[in-house]
Amino acid sequence: MNHFGVYGVWRQDGRVVAIRKARGPYTGLLDLPGGTPEAGESPVQTLRRELQEECGVGRVAVLSWHGFEFDFEESSSGERVDGTHRGLIAVVDVADGVAAIEDFEDVAAVELIDPRDTPVTEFTPPFRYALALLDGQ
């Protein structure tokens, strides 16, 4: 199982925007908003579409792009699924506040979190990496 996705990370009101995964290898964990490019989409187009669908935001400015690759051997429920998750994370500036979107595709909910108050075991590997990128800004 291999997956490529485009994701965004930013702070709103001093907290980090996260989504709670409803399905897939990271079910139940906090992850980045974003997803798989559709045919012919550029990374910027994918990012804007996904952030609109999953978080209700429309005005997005990309500050920087960062590639990643993580191997995984099991789902968050313990099911054996060997795979590689590759993609791009954009550190972004978002002019709009997020909407309270729930149960959209693989998103159970959009959450604003303080990573210092949340156990790291609740974060997907890409989310952990993105937090380090934000700390470096």
Side-chain angles (χ1 to χ4, degrees):
M1 173 181 201
N2 294 310
H3 177 73
F4 179 85
V6 178
Y7 306 91
V9 63
W10 72 99
R11 286 186 180 92
Q12 177 179 308
D13 301 328
R15 296 179 289 167
V16 178
V17 176
I19 60 159
R20 185 73 64 176
K21 295 293 286 186
R23 63 182 163 97
Y26 302 133
T27 299
L29 299 179
L30 291 168
D31 197 13
L32 299 165
T36 305
E38 293 181 354
E41 273 187 333
S42 71
V44 170
Q45 290 168 322
T46 300
L47 179 69
R48 289 189 173 137
R49 176 182 52 77
E50 289 285 347
L51 296 187
Q52 174 65 46
E53 291 173 351
E54 294 183 359
C55 298
V57 298
R59 295 178 291 169
V60 177
V62 175
L63 305 175
S64 61
W65 287 103
H66 307 271
F68 71 88
E69 181 175 316
F70 296 99
D71 292 328
F72 55 90
E73 296 177 356
E74 65 181 43
S75 70
S76 53
S77 64
E79 179 185 357
R80 181 99 176 129
V81 287
D82 289 323
T84 301
H85 187 184
R86 294 180 182 86
L88 294 170
I89 297 172
V91 176
V92 297
D93 183 31
V94 175
D96 307 320
V98 299
I101 294 173
E102 294 184 7
D103 297 322
F104 176 79
E105 294 179 348
D106 65 344
V107 177
V110 177
E111 300 181 25
L112 297 176
I113 67 154
D114 183 336
R116 298 169 298 186
D117 297 336
T118 308
V120 71
T121 54
E122 288 196 39
F123 304 153
T124 66
F127 192 77
R128 279 187 234 128
Y129 176 58
L131 292 174
L133 296 172
L134 274 181
D135 287 344
Q137 294 277 309

